[in-house]
C-alpha cells in the first residue's frame, strides 16, 4: 500500500470539523434570533473545537504510521 502524506490522513477529520463548526454556527444563529437570553459563549466552544481538532491531527500525524503498521500486521495474521 502506498503511504499517504500526513495532510491526506487528516483531511477527513478536517472536513468533519468544518461541518460540525458550520452546523453549530447555523444552530447558534437560529437560537439567538428566537431567544436572545440563550446566546452562549461562541468563542469558547470554537476554541475548544479547534484545539481538539489540532490535537487529533497532531496525534494522527505522529502515530499514524505506527497504527497503520499495527493494523496491517494484525490483518495479515488473521487466517481465512
Amino acid at each position: 500500500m502506498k503511504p499517504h502524506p500526513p495532510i491526506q490522513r487528516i483531511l477527513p477529520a478536517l472536513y468533519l470539523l468544518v461541518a460540525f463548526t458550520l452546523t453549530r454556527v447555523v444552530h447558534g444563529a437560529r437560537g439567538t434570533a428566537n431567544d436572545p437570553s440563550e446566546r452562549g459563549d461562541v468563542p469558547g466552544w470554537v476554541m475548544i473545537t479547534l484545539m481538539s481538532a489540532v490535537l487529533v491531527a497532531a496525534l494522527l500525524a505522529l502515530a499514524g504510521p505506527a497504527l497503520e503498521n499495527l493494523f496491517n500486521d494484525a490483518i495479515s495474521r488473521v487466517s481465512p
Side-chain angles (χ1 to χ4, degrees), residues 24 27-42 45:
R24 292 289 299 200
H27 177 69
R30 276 189 277 145
T32 57
N34 296 336
D35 189 7
S37 65
E38 296 290 329
R39 287 184 52 194
D41 185 18
V42 174
W45 68 260

Side-chain angles (χ1 to χ4, degrees), residues 3-4 6 9 59-72:
H4 299 289
R9 290 185 184 152
L59 287 174
L60 187 60
L62 293 174
L67 291 172
E68 186 176 343
N69 289 338
L70 183 68
F71 175 78
N72 289 335

Side-chain angles (χ1 to χ4, degrees), residues 6-22 49-58 60:
I7 190 68
Q8 288 182 343
R9 290 185 184 152
I10 63 171
L11 276 178
L14 291 177
Y15 290 145
L16 184 62
L17 172 68
V18 169
F20 176 73
T21 304
L22 289 175
T49 304
L50 290 176
M51 287 172 53
S52 299
V54 168
L55 182 63
V56 167
L60 187 60

